[in-house]
């Protein structure tokens, strides 16, 4: 006769937290005026009108054509968050949309990474404790991991508004019909200033008139609905060595730290009680239902249950299960262990205790494998644009015939 294992039905211990409604972040200029004049670190301008008016259109066309074809752009300056407070930032954004840099949020440095349309943040507790929309069971471990967020959490989506081609398109849409350029000095160097529909831009006086700085009150994609973003950035072109390091660091990050990144885009919680069941012979299973408690209407988050079952005599056994949870939906998680109790003439009962912890993961196993490969392809394509292809690796530049 198999010795039965006595089941203890109880709600397993775990980080069950109170759900707080996610505060909706809105961006807009209504009722908010921001003086951009102080957003010019290290820049002193001195008006010096040209004796002969210079047409703005040819200069602007040259500058934006150069920007659109650039392999990457480095931006340093500020952008306004939802409250209109400028955030100091330094970002490098490649033509692929891949991004790396830092943003200062209320005195806390937040590291920013964006790859393949996914935005990840890394910051200490002082940042995460101020974010009221994070109420996941694993939110206390955010400071120990990279965390995937929606771009509106940071206040800017580099891939859609700061990647070279996308930024050039936005600025081109704000270009004036005709008009003249004003000659000024920027950091002591002669430049042209061109007034746009929603701001200003400064170009190198020398051809091809690279874009050196922009102050834009409404930076948003030319298509689709997006909140207005106020920006004041100095721009420069990273060299080949910088780009190689940039991509190498991103690839290493995706192969290591991002594999355990958390995901805050939905608020996930257990729905109701968890169930712990054991059968005669010692086979035990724990199961529960996870639900999305956010008000999001899109997105999918990978949820994970780590269960532990324990008995003082039989010891401890663990199991886990994962599933994809869609916005507004629910998903069941279940896993089991087997103590494999041998048949006995003297049946004995064992009390099994259980605990199940709920957490999130930003990347599935397949996604974690795909990201480094995508970045390696993007690296080759970006470096091929450096100096007209001079930065391309010998392997990528070799002809099919080997000549």
């Amino acid at each position: 006769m198999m010795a039965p294992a006595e089941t203890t039905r109880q709600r397993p211990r775990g980080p069950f937290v109170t759900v707080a409604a996610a505060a909706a972040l809105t961006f807009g200029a209504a009722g908010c005026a921001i003086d951009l004049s102080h957003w010019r670190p290290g820049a002193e301008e001195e008006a010096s009108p040209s004796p002969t008016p210079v047409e703005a259109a040819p200069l602007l066309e040259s500058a934006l054509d150069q920007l659109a074809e650039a392999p990457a752009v480095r931006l340093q300056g500020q952008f306004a968050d939802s409250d209109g407070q400028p955030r100091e930032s330094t970002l490098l954004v490649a033509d692929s949309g891949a991004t790396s840099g830092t943003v200062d949020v209320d005195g806390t440095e937040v590291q920013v990474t964006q790859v393949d349309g996914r935005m990840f943040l890394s910051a200490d507790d002082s940042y995460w404790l101020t974010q009221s929309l994070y109420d996941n069971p694993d939110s206390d471990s955010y400071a120990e991991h990279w965390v995937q967020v929606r771009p509106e959490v940071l206040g800017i989506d580099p891939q859609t508004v700061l990647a070279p081609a996308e930024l050039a398109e936005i600025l081109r849409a704000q270009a004036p019909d005709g008009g003249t350029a004003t000659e000024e000095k920027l950091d002591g160097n002669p430049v042209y200033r061109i007034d746009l529909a929603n701001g200003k831009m400064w170009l190198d006086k020398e051809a091809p008139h690279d874009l050196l700085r922009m102050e834009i009150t409404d930076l948003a994609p030319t298509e689709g609905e997006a909140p207005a973003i106020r920006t004041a950035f100095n721009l420069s072109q990273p060299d080949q060595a910088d780009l190689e390091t940039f991509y190498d660091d991103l690839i290493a990050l995706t192969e290591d730290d991002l594999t355990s990144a958390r995901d805050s885009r939905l608020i996930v919680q257990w729905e109701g009680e968890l169930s712990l069941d054991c059968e005669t012979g010692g086979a035990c299973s724990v199961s529960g239902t996870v639900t999305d408690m956010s008000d999001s209407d899109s997105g999918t988050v990978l949820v994970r249950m780590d269960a532990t079952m324990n008995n003082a005599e039989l010891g401890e056994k663990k199991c886990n299960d994962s599933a994809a949870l869609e916005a507004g939906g629910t998903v069941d998680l279940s896993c089991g262990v087997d103590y494999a109790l041998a048949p006995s003439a003297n049946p004995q009962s064992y009390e099994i205790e259980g605990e199940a912890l709920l957490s999130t993961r930003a990347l599935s196993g397949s996604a974690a494998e795909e990201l480094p490969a995508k970045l390696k392809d993007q690296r080759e394509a970006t470096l091929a644009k450096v100096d007209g292809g001079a930065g391309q690796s010998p392997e990528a530049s070799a002809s099919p015939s080997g000549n």
Side-chain angles (χ1 to χ4, degrees):
M1 177 177 180
M2 301 289 286
E6 181 178 324
T7 299
T8 297
R9 294 182 179 272
Q10 61 179 0
R11 185 180 181 122
R13 298 189 300 274
F16 304 106
V17 297
T18 302
V19 176
L25 296 179
T26 58
F27 298 78
C32 176
I34 300 178
D35 179 10
L36 295 176
S37 62
H38 65 288
W39 288 17
R40 303 172 186 175
E44 296 182 359
E45 296 171 13
E46 178 182 338
S48 178
S50 301
T52 303
V54 178
E55 291 186 15
L59 301 177
L60 193 144
E61 181 179 1
S62 176
L64 296 185
D65 286 348
Q66 284 289 116
L67 177 62
E69 295 300 321
V73 61
R74 178 180 284 109
L75 305 102
Q76 186 170 10
Q78 298 170 317
F79 68 89
D81 63 11
S82 59
D83 298 323
Q85 297 300 317
R87 293 178 170 181
E88 294 284 346
S89 58
T90 299
L91 299 169
L92 195 158
V93 187
D95 55 353
S96 64
T99 301
S100 180
T102 60
V103 173
D104 184 282
V105 180
D106 297 326
T108 298
E109 183 178 87
V110 178
Q111 293 180 277
V112 181
T113 292
Q114 192 169 29
V115 289
D116 196 34
R118 301 170 182 262
M119 178 176 285
F120 299 88
L121 303 183
S122 176
D124 60 24
D125 277 328
S126 62
Y127 170 77
W128 294 115
L129 289 174
T130 65
Q131 304 303 302
S132 60
L133 69 165
Y134 298 113
D135 201 11
N136 278 333
D138 56 353
S139 59
D140 58 350
S141 66
Y142 282 1
E144 303 170 8
H145 298 89
W146 283 87
V147 181
Q148 185 171 5
V149 302
R150 296 182 185 275
E152 56 264 30
V153 172
L154 184 65
I156 195 168
D157 185 356
Q159 177 173 287
T160 61
V161 298
L162 297 180
E166 284 70 17
L167 179 57
E169 182 181 5
I170 293 171
L171 297 177
R172 205 184 300 275
Q174 299 187 15
D177 294 328
T180 59
T182 302
E183 185 176 341
E184 296 181 345
K185 285 189 177 180
L186 179 66
D187 296 328
N189 299 313
V191 296
Y192 286 121
R193 189 198 77 220
I194 296 178
D195 296 334
L196 306 176
N198 294 306
K200 304 173 183 179
M201 54 190 294
W202 286 260
L203 314 178
D204 191 339
K205 189 177 179 181
E206 301 296 326
H209 310 294
D210 290 337
L211 175 60
L212 301 177
R213 190 167 76 208
M214 64 180 190
E215 293 180 359
I216 309 297
T217 60
D218 185 0
L219 189 71
T222 55
E223 297 182 2
E225 297 183 3
I229 305 170
R230 293 172 176 259
T231 61
F233 282 121
N234 293 327
L235 296 89
S236 61
Q237 296 289 321
D239 60 23
Q240 180 178 337
D242 288 339
L243 288 175
E244 290 175 347
T245 300
F246 165 78
Y247 270 110
D248 290 345
D249 289 346
L250 284 183
I251 292 169
L253 188 69
T254 58
E255 292 176 334
D256 187 10
D257 294 349
L258 292 191
T259 58
S260 62
R262 300 304 198 246
D263 198 330
S264 70
R265 294 173 301 150
L266 299 180
I267 299 177
V268 303
Q269 297 293 323
W270 291 117
E271 182 179 84
E273 297 289 326
L274 302 185
S275 175
L276 174 60
D277 295 299
C278 291
E279 302 174 355
T280 300
C284 299
S285 64
V286 60
S287 59
T289 299
V290 184
T291 184
D292 170 31
M293 301 294 291
S294 70
D295 57 1
S296 300
D297 57 5
S298 64
T300 300
V301 167
L302 187 67
V303 291
R304 175 184 170 111
M305 173 180 70
D306 286 277
T308 302
M309 280 158 270
N310 184 60
N311 174 269
E313 296 181 52
L314 302 177
E316 180 181 273
K317 288 184 176 291
K318 298 183 178 183
C319 64
N320 63 76
D321 189 25
S322 300
L325 174 66
E326 296 184 359
T330 62
V331 68
D332 294 327
L333 296 177
S334 178
C335 70
V337 303
D338 192 350
Y339 282 98
L341 301 177
S344 173
N346 299 309
Q348 184 176 355
S349 295
Y350 297 92
E351 183 175 296
I352 306 297
E353 295 182 342
E355 178 181 60
L357 301 179
L358 181 63
S359 61
T360 61
R361 294 293 187 275
L363 302 176
S364 64
S366 59
E369 293 179 358
E370 292 169 0
L371 269 184
K374 288 182 178 180
L375 283 170
K376 290 174 183 177
D377 290 341
Q378 292 172 8
R379 181 185 190 275
E380 293 301 325
T382 299
L383 292 176
K385 296 171 96 174
V386 178
D387 295 330
Q392 190 174 17
S393 67
E395 294 83 358
S397 60
S399 65
S401 63
N403 296 328

